[in-house]
Amino acid sequence: MRICVYGASSDDIDAVYIKTAEELGEKMAKRGHSLVFGGGATGLMGGAARGILKAGGELVGIAPKFFDVPGVLCKSCTEFFFTETMRERKQLMEDMSDAFVVVPGGIGTYEEFFEMLTLKQLGRHKKAIAVLNTGGYYDTVGDLMKKTVEKGFMKPECLGLYSSFDSVDGLLDFIEGYDLLSVNTDGLKNI
C-alpha cells in the first residue's frame, strides 16, 4: 500500500517527533508499505524517509520545482515528481496514495489534514486518515473538532472520518484493517 505522510519539514523541533517519524517509516517498510511524501530531506518528512530507506522500502517524493534548492529535498527517493504548484503537488500526493497519515507539523500539515478530511466529508474519497498524536501534539485539535460538533458547525459523524493514535503500531494496524467499503459519507454535507 502507498501511504501518504504529511508532516513538518523543520529540524528545529524536539527530536522525539523526528525519531517517531523515523519509526513510522521503518515500520511501514517492514510491513510492505511505501511512502508518498512532500519530498523533504529534513524534519518529520526526512525522518519518515530515512526510516523507509533503512528498512529497504519504496520512497515517492513529490515537490514543486521551486523547492529544488540545495539541502531541501531528499535525493534518495525511488521516484521523484516535480510539479509547478503546491496545489498540483497535493493533488498528485492524493492520487498516488491509498491512505493518509498526519504526523506533527505546522500550518502546511494542518492544511493538508483538513483538506483530506473535507474531501472525505464531501464523499470525494473514502481512504483512511490517521493522526499520529506523538506526545499529545494533536490533543487540542481533537478538542477543537469536538467543540465544532458541540456548537453545531459539524455533524457528530464527521469525528469518525479520521482516527488518532499514540502508537505507530496501532496506527498501522488501523490502516491495514481499514475497509473502504464500510465508509458512508451520505448526509455529512448538504450538497
Side-chain angles (χ1 to χ4, degrees):
M1 171 183 319
R2 283 188 165 180
I3 300 173
C4 180
V5 175
Y6 299 120
S9 61
S10 175
D11 279 334
D12 296 330
I13 53 178
D14 191 310
V16 69
Y17 297 116
I18 297 171
K19 181 181 176 189
T20 304
E22 288 176 6
E23 176 190 355
L24 171 65
E26 187 173 354
K27 287 184 175 183
M28 282 171 53
K30 286 180 177 178
R31 290 180 178 219
H33 307 299
S34 58
L35 170 67
V36 175
F37 77 125
T42 57
L44 278 72
M45 279 196 281
R50 286 188 300 277
I52 282 278
L53 293 171
K54 181 179 178 183
E58 180 183 288
L59 184 58
V60 180
I62 303 171
K65 290 178 186 174
F66 62 85
F67 279 6
D68 194 14
V69 296
V72 171
L73 298 177
C74 178
K75 300 299 182 185
S76 304
C77 293
T78 311
E79 296 179 88
F80 208 104
F81 297 91
F82 284 102
T83 63
E84 292 297 323
T85 68
M86 292 291 279
R87 285 190 174 115
E88 291 171 355
R89 174 199 204 191
K90 290 188 306 177
Q91 185 66 58
L92 192 55
M93 291 170 77
E94 177 189 346
D95 292 345
M96 294 185 75
S97 302
D98 301 305
F100 305 101
V101 172
V102 182
V103 297
I107 194 165
T109 304
Y110 301 153
E111 189 266 340
E112 291 161 332
F113 167 60
F114 282 112
E115 181 171 353
M116 289 303 100
L117 192 60
T118 300
L119 290 172
K120 190 170 182 179
Q121 177 192 31
L122 294 171
R124 307 315 301 166
H125 77 83
K126 293 186 174 192
K127 301 172 186 178
I129 302 172
V131 173
L132 185 55
N133 191 25
T134 306
Y137 184 82
Y138 282 112
D139 286 351
T140 54
V141 172
D143 293 341
L144 173 66
M145 298 296 279
K146 290 173 189 165
K147 184 173 186 174
T148 304
V149 169
E150 288 169 13
K151 298 294 181 181
F153 289 95
M154 185 171 72
K155 294 184 179 181
E157 295 82 6
C158 291
L159 295 175
L161 296 175
Y162 74 99
S163 294
S164 184
F165 300 89
D166 295 326
S167 77
V168 169
D169 289 317
L171 182 145
L172 290 173
D173 289 344
F174 165 75
I175 288 175
E176 290 168 354
Y178 187 79
D179 180 11
L180 287 168
L181 299 177
S182 70
V183 177
N184 182 3
T185 59
D186 294 343
L188 294 185
K189 200 68 179 164
N190 298 325
I191 57 168

